[in-house]
Amino acid sequence: MKCCLKCKHCGLSCGENTVLEELGTKIVKKCFKEIASEINSKKVMIGVTGGEPLLRKDLFEIMGYASKLGFPWGVVTNGMLVNKKVINKMKNTGMKTVAVSLDGVESTHNWMRNNKNSFNKAINALKLFKEANCFEIVEAITSVSPRSLKELEQIYQQVLVLKLDQWRIMPIAPVGRAGNDSKICLNAKEMAQVLEFIKEKRRENRIKVTLNEMWFCGPEFEYDVRDWGFFCPAGINSIAILSNGDVNGCPLINGMIEGNVKKDNIMNLWNNGFKNYRDISWKKTGKCKDCQWFDFCSGDGLHLWQGDKMRLKKCYYELIKEGYEKIHQK
C-alpha cells in the first residue's frame, strides 16, 4: 500500500494515509513455500503490485526466494525508482515480466499522477528495461481517462518508438480513489471509442495491443480486443495476498475475504474456500437475472460488485452497447 505517488485513479487509494503494518518477510516466504508444496510452482505466475513494489525493502529477498522455489514473477511499477542497479536485482532474482504505467502524453500523465517528473521517469524506466534485454515481456499499461482518450494515437506512437513487447489498455474502473471521481471514468461513447481504437491497432499488428481483462465487451467487441473471451479469474485461477495478510481473489475486489495468512495456510484457504467465487449463482440478481449474456459474462468482473451488498455497481456491457450504437449512428 506504500507509494511514492498519489494518483487520481488509484484502485486501492494507495499513498494517502498512514500505512498499517504490512506482512513481514517470513510470512510471505511461508505462503510461497505452502503453494510450492502442493502445486507446480513453474506454472504459477506471481504478480507483484502496489502501491509501488520497489518501496518494499525486502522485495528482492522475497522474490529471490520465490524464484528459487521455481515461481516466475513480474512487477507493475510507476517507474519512479527504476535505475540500472534495480534492474540488475530484478534480473538476478529471476523476474520475467515488467509493466510500467504510461497514462498519457507528458502533461496528462503528470496530471494523473500528481507529479511533474513521473512521465519522464516512466519513459526512462521503459527504455532501461528494453535495453537490459533480459525480460520476456516489457509492456506499458495505459489507464484511460477522458483526457488521455484523445491522446491514444500519440501514446501508440511513443510505444512503437520504445519497441515494447505489448501495450495494455485499461479504462479506469470506478473503484478506489477513482470511485469518488466520475470525471476520470469514461462514459458510454468514450468506452466504445477506446474499444474501436484497440480493434484498429490490432488489425495494424505493429505491436501487441490488448484490452485488460476487466470487462465483458459483448458481441460488438469480444474477441476483437483481446486474444481470449472475457473471464474473471478471481478465486478460480488467481489468488490475492493483500498487504495486511487478508486473502481474496483480486486486490480490487471489495471484501470477499477468505482468511488471513497470518493464521491460515494459504493452500487450505484455496482448496476449501472461495465458494462464492466458484459458484456465482448468487450473481443472478437485478439486471443479471434474465440477461441473455450471463453465461458469457458471469455478471462481469467481481471488482464491479459491491461485496457487502452483493450488487453490481454498473453493467459495463450495457454501457459499451450504448456507446457502440452512438458511434455507429448514421
Side-chain angles (χ1 to χ4, degrees):
M1 292 294 286
K2 295 177 182 176
C3 195
C4 45
L5 296 176
K6 186 181 176 182
C7 304
K8 298 180 186 298
H9 62 301
C10 182
L12 296 173
S13 301
C14 297
E16 67 176 359
N17 298 312
T18 302
V19 178
L20 300 175
E21 183 180 353
E22 298 189 340
L23 289 181
T25 308
K26 290 182 179 179
I27 295 179
V28 183
K29 287 182 175 180
K30 177 182 76 74
C31 291
F32 293 154
K33 188 173 182 179
E34 288 169 354
I35 296 170
S37 70
E38 291 195 34
I39 298 177
N40 183 350
S41 57
K42 293 180 181 179
K43 296 183 178 181
V44 180
M45 181 71 182
I46 297 174
V48 189
T49 184
E52 174 48 53
L54 292 174
L55 284 171
R56 187 162 177 133
K57 294 180 180 180
D58 61 356
L59 176 67
F60 296 113
E61 178 185 348
I62 289 173
M63 300 320 299
Y65 176 81
S67 186
K68 288 178 180 177
L69 289 174
F71 293 101
W73 68 281
V75 71
V76 180
T77 176
N78 58 35
M80 295 293 290
L81 304 176
V82 175
N83 54 41
K84 290 184 178 180
K85 184 177 180 180
V86 165
I87 289 175
N88 282 334
K89 289 181 179 180
M90 291 172 164
K91 177 183 177 181
N92 293 337
T93 51
M95 192 180 82
K96 304 297 183 186
T97 69
V98 61
V100 180
S101 300
L102 186 62
D103 295 328
V105 300
E106 184 170 3
S107 58
T108 298
H109 179 96
N110 291 344
W111 165 78
M112 182 73 78
R113 296 192 167 260
N114 286 306
N115 186 291
K116 65 181 181 180
N117 299 314
S118 59
F119 177 82
N120 288 334
K121 289 285 189 178
I123 294 296
N124 181 63
L126 285 166
K127 288 179 179 177
L128 290 175
F129 285 127
K130 282 303 293 181
E131 289 170 2
N133 195 31
C134 60
F135 305 115
E136 293 177 4
I137 297 175
V138 177
E139 69 172 342
I141 299 178
T142 298
S143 297
V144 185
S145 66
R147 180 166 167 171
S148 59
L149 172 62
K150 303 169 185 176
E151 303 165 355
L152 286 178
E153 181 62 36
Q154 292 168 270
I155 305 170
Y156 175 63
Q157 295 301 326
Q158 178 75 75
V159 166
L160 290 177
V161 169
L162 291 167
K163 298 181 179 180
L164 303 182
D165 302 299
Q166 182 169 296
W167 181 27
R168 195 169 2 146
I169 297 177
M170 182 171 65
I172 293 172
V175 295
R177 202 171 286 137
N180 300 316
D181 188 353
S182 60
K183 293 182 291 185
I184 64 171
C185 293
L186 304 180
N187 63 30
K189 187 175 181 180
E190 291 165 338
M191 279 289 292
Q193 287 173 335
V194 170
L195 301 184
E196 289 281 17
F197 177 86
I198 295 172
K199 282 176 64 174
E200 175 191 340
K201 297 311 177 186
R202 285 172 67 85
R203 285 194 296 265
E204 289 182 12
N205 199 31
R206 299 179 66 187
I207 183 178
K208 184 173 183 179
V209 181
T210 183
L211 178 72
N212 74 315
E213 68 276 10
M214 285 185 173
W215 327 92
F216 172 67
C217 300
E220 293 83 1
F221 294 105
E222 204 68 42
Y223 293 103
D224 289 329
V225 292
R226 289 182 290 244
D227 292 343
W228 62 91
F230 172 77
F231 168 69
C232 179
I236 297 173
N237 62 12
S238 75
I239 189 170
I241 305 170
L242 308 183
S243 60
N244 65 352
D246 283 346
V247 174
N248 70 2
C250 168
L252 292 179
I253 291 174
N254 178 21
M256 298 185 71
I257 303 300
E258 298 295 309
N260 189 294
V261 295
K262 291 178 181 177
K263 58 183 179 63
D264 300 314
N265 179 294
I266 193 168
M267 289 308 300
N268 286 343
L269 296 177
W270 181 253
N271 292 328
N272 302 308
F274 289 89
K275 291 179 173 56
N276 278 337
Y277 290 85
R278 296 164 189 170
D279 177 1
I280 56 165
S281 57
W282 59 269
K283 280 177 147 187
K284 279 205 166 188
T285 183
K287 293 180 179 180
C288 295
K289 186 176 181 180
D290 300 311
C291 179
Q292 64 175 318
W293 297 107
F294 187 84
D295 288 342
F296 296 90
C297 99
S298 302
D300 222 322
L302 278 166
H303 69 291
L304 295 173
W305 285 77
Q306 293 174 303
D308 53 342
K309 300 175 182 177
M310 296 300 185
R311 185 175 65 193
L312 185 64
K313 295 177 183 177
K314 182 184 292 187
C315 174
Y316 266 81
Y317 173 56
E318 279 191 346
L319 193 74
I320 290 166
K321 184 178 179 181
E322 177 189 341
Y324 180 82
E325 291 171 352
K326 285 181 177 179
I327 64 177
H328 286 89
Q329 285 175 347
K330 293 183 179 179

